[in-house]
Amino acid sequence: QEFYRDRGYFGATIQVECREHTGRCREVLIDIEEGKQARIEEIVLRGDEPSEGVRALLPELGAEATKALSESTVTAIRDELRRSRFLRSRVRGRYIDTKSGGKAFELTIRRGDEVRIGFEGNRRFTDAELLNTVDLLSRRFPIGQRLPQVLRERIEELYR
C-alpha cells in the first residue's frame, strides 16, 4: 500500500491470499485495486506567509499527489528560504483529505530568524566563495552558535 500511496493512489487496497496451503504456502494471490490516482485540488498554507519566490515553487492544482512531488517541493522551498538568509527555516509538506474527498497539499513554513553574514577585509575571495565553504542548503549544516566557528575554520582552509 505504501508503494501505491507514494505514487498518489491513496485509496488502493491490497489483499493477499494463500491458495495452496499444505504446511507451506505454494501459491500466493495478490489482489490489487488501485483506485483513482489523486490530484492536488487545493493548497493549504500554514505558518509564516510565503514570499513570491516561495509561491512560485508551489505545485500546480491538478498535479499528481505523489510523494516525489511533495519532497521536491519541500526541498526547493527550504533551499529558497535558506538562500534568502533564513538559515533556520523549516518546511513540512503533506497531503490531507479535502471535504470533497480529494487531496490538498498542506505546506507549513517556519522561516526562523534572518541571518546576515558579511565579510570585511577580504580581497582574495568573493563573499559567495566564502559562503560556499559551508553548504548553507544542507540539512546537516550546523546552524546556531557553531555557525561562526565553522565558517572561520572553513575560510581558514581557503587561505592555507
Side-chain angles (χ1 to χ4, degrees):
Q1 282 184 316
E2 183 179 344
F3 176 86
Y4 279 94
R5 267 195 311 275
D6 288 352
R7 287 153 182 81
Y9 293 90
F10 293 91
T13 59
I14 300 165
Q15 295 184 7
V16 180
E17 177 186 348
C18 180
R19 283 217 165 148
E20 189 179 319
H21 188 39
T22 55
R24 293 187 182 170
C25 193
R26 296 184 186 274
E27 182 181 341
V28 177
L29 176 65
I30 302 172
D31 184 21
I32 302 169
E33 288 188 37
E34 294 175 339
K36 188 177 175 185
Q37 187 177 33
R39 300 209 174 256
I40 298 173
E41 293 181 359
E42 66 180 282
I43 307 289
V44 177
L45 299 173
R46 305 220 186 278
D48 297 329
E49 184 67 27
S51 66
E52 287 304 312
V54 167
R55 283 186 181 278
L57 299 170
L58 294 173
E60 293 184 18
L61 296 180
E64 296 172 351
T66 63
K67 181 179 180 180
L69 177 63
S70 173
E71 289 176 348
S72 65
T73 300
V74 166
T75 298
I77 290 173
R78 186 199 70 228
D79 290 353
E80 171 65 20
L81 288 167
R82 289 189 178 180
R83 274 190 292 273
S84 300
R85 297 188 287 216
F86 294 101
L87 302 182
R88 294 181 181 98
S89 62
R90 298 285 180 260
V91 181
R92 192 180 98 208
R94 66 181 186 148
Y95 296 108
I96 58 174
D97 294 328
T98 62
K99 291 178 183 177
S100 66
K103 291 294 179 186
F105 183 63
E106 179 185 67
L107 185 71
T108 304
I109 299 172
R110 302 278 184 239
R111 280 193 308 262
D113 295 329
E114 186 175 4
V115 177
R116 296 176 190 262
I117 301 173
F119 299 96
E120 295 177 1
N122 169 51
R123 290 184 296 260
R124 184 171 174 195
F125 301 101
T126 66
D127 288 358
E129 287 175 309
L130 295 175
L131 278 175
N132 285 335
T133 64
V134 180
D135 183 4
L136 295 177
L137 304 182
S138 168
R139 289 182 193 187
R140 295 171 300 200
F141 179 72
I143 298 169
Q145 293 185 357
R146 282 192 23 88
L147 173 62
Q149 175 187 346
V150 171
L151 274 171
R152 185 183 69 245
E153 290 169 359
R154 304 267 171 89
I155 292 169
E156 285 174 349
E157 290 175 13
L158 282 177
Y159 283 97
R160 290 185 186 146

